[in-house]
Amino acid sequence: MEKYDYIEDVILTVDEGNVVKKSKPVMPALLLFVAGVLALCYRFLVQVAGDIVSSLLVVTGLLLVVAGIILLVAKKGGYVYRPTGQGLKRYKIYIAPDKSFKLQQVLRDGAYEELGVLRQLNASNLSVEVFLSDDREYALLQVLEFIPYNDVPTTPVIVCRGAAAHALADAVKG
């Protein structure tokens, strides 16, 4: 059995740099954090009239600081198809194990519209992982097989454009 790289490991290089990683915006998280720190500093450095206002400033400051930290730490990056600027979304299609031969035929022939017929609603040990652009013009796919404790790639990453990507999108979303 040939060993293939996972789609996540080669997504940036498989199509000669057409897919790039988009970074998450840092500014909103920093603004929340700074606003929270300022609210806390204002409460402790300036004499505030009334216990309710004082408590409200502390609670608001703490909430803003925590929200800022969570947004900074949260993993919100993604992938973008560079030529169109469209984001890529990840999908997983489960295929019945007895349809493995048919799945190989579909991939070999590029008849991605038939994936919808092979689709199984619940979990299976055979799956197809797809990264699909928002405009349905570009897709990457790879077949995975569950071998105890891990999904293992059984095909290389396949790049689809145009009509093939549209057919794949219909099968994934249908």
Side-chain angles (χ1 to χ4, degrees), residues 33-53:
F33 182 78
V34 169
V37 169
L38 289 174
L40 289 171
C41 288
Y42 184 78
R43 158 53 186 100
F44 291 113
L45 295 177
V46 176
Q47 191 66 15
V48 178
D51 288 337
I52 293 176
V53 174

Side-chain angles (χ1 to χ4, degrees), residues 81-139:
Y81 180 50
R82 185 184 301 200
T84 62
Q86 296 291 315
L88 296 178
K89 290 184 182 162
R90 175 187 249 160
Y91 298 92
K92 195 164 197 170
I93 304 171
Y94 292 101
I95 307 293
D98 61 334
K99 305 284 187 190
S100 177
F101 181 73
K102 180 67 175 163
L103 175 62
Q104 295 303 324
Q105 283 181 323
V106 166
L107 295 178
R108 186 183 61 242
D109 298 341
Y112 302 114
E113 62 278 354
E114 294 182 30
L115 279 176
V117 176
L118 302 177
R119 187 180 197 147
Q120 182 174 327
L121 295 178
N122 55 356
S124 170
N125 69 331
L126 186 61
S127 62
V128 179
E129 190 165 28
V130 178
F131 281 86
L132 181 64
S133 68
D134 293 334
D135 63 358
R136 306 173 94 172
E137 289 293 326
Y138 182 80

Side-chain angles (χ1 to χ4, degrees), residues 11-13 15-22 78-88 133 135 138 140 161:
I11 193 168
L12 299 175
T13 58
D15 194 22
E16 301 162 9
N18 281 329
V19 176
V20 294
K21 186 151 178 88
K22 73 176 176 186
Y79 297 104
V80 173
Y81 180 50
R82 185 184 301 200
T84 62
Q86 296 291 315
L88 296 178
S133 68
D135 63 358
Y138 182 80
L140 299 169
R161 291 184 180 84

Side-chain angles (χ1 to χ4, degrees), residues 64-87:
L64 289 173
V65 166
V66 169
I69 290 172
I70 289 172
L71 285 177
L72 279 173
V73 174
K75 195 176 186 181
K76 279 193 178 177
Y79 297 104
V80 173
Y81 180 50
R82 185 184 301 200
T84 62
Q86 296 291 315

